[in-house]
Amino acid sequence: ESKERLGMIVDKIDVDKDGFVTEGELKSWIKHAQKKYIYDNVENQWHEFDMNQDGLISWDEYRNVTYGTYLDDPDPDD
């Protein structure tokens, strides 16, 4: 299964379709995959942080989601 999946990915990485993956093609693919992961991650978390759904994340919204009730009572008994 791993070889099959790798074969499908190699076809996408091999931009010039010469049957080989060059260092440059691999670097480009890794950058592409990292960007996609970052953008997908931001998209998935945006709605969680944008609590008032205004398309912007204020410091208060970020702080509330990130630190939650800890800021209300930084030394809880429990």
Side-chain angles (χ1 to χ4, degrees):
E1 181 182 340
S2 295
K3 286 182 181 181
E4 183 178 320
R5 291 178 67 191
L6 183 58
M8 292 187 311
I9 293 172
V10 165
D11 290 340
K12 294 178 182 179
I13 298 171
D14 184 17
V15 176
D16 63 6
K17 305 297 181 204
D18 67 352
F20 298 95
V21 174
T22 66
E23 181 180 351
E25 289 171 329
L26 185 56
K27 284 180 180 180
S28 292
W29 176 259
I30 291 170
K31 286 179 184 179
H32 168 76
Q34 287 175 332
K35 273 188 182 178
K36 182 177 177 354
Y37 174 77
I38 290 168
Y39 287 126
D40 288 349
N41 194 23
V42 168
E43 182 67 31
N44 289 335
Q45 291 186 15
W46 190 268
H47 300 291
E48 180 182 346
F49 283 85
D50 185 16
M51 296 171 64
N52 64 2
Q53 302 299 306
D54 67 351
L56 303 170
I57 298 174
S58 69
W59 172 244
D60 287 337
E61 288 172 318
Y62 176 81
R63 187 180 58 185
N64 186 49
V65 173
T66 303
Y67 301 108
T69 58
Y70 174 78
L71 293 175
D72 296 333
D73 186 6
D75 191 21
D77 294 334
D78 52 56

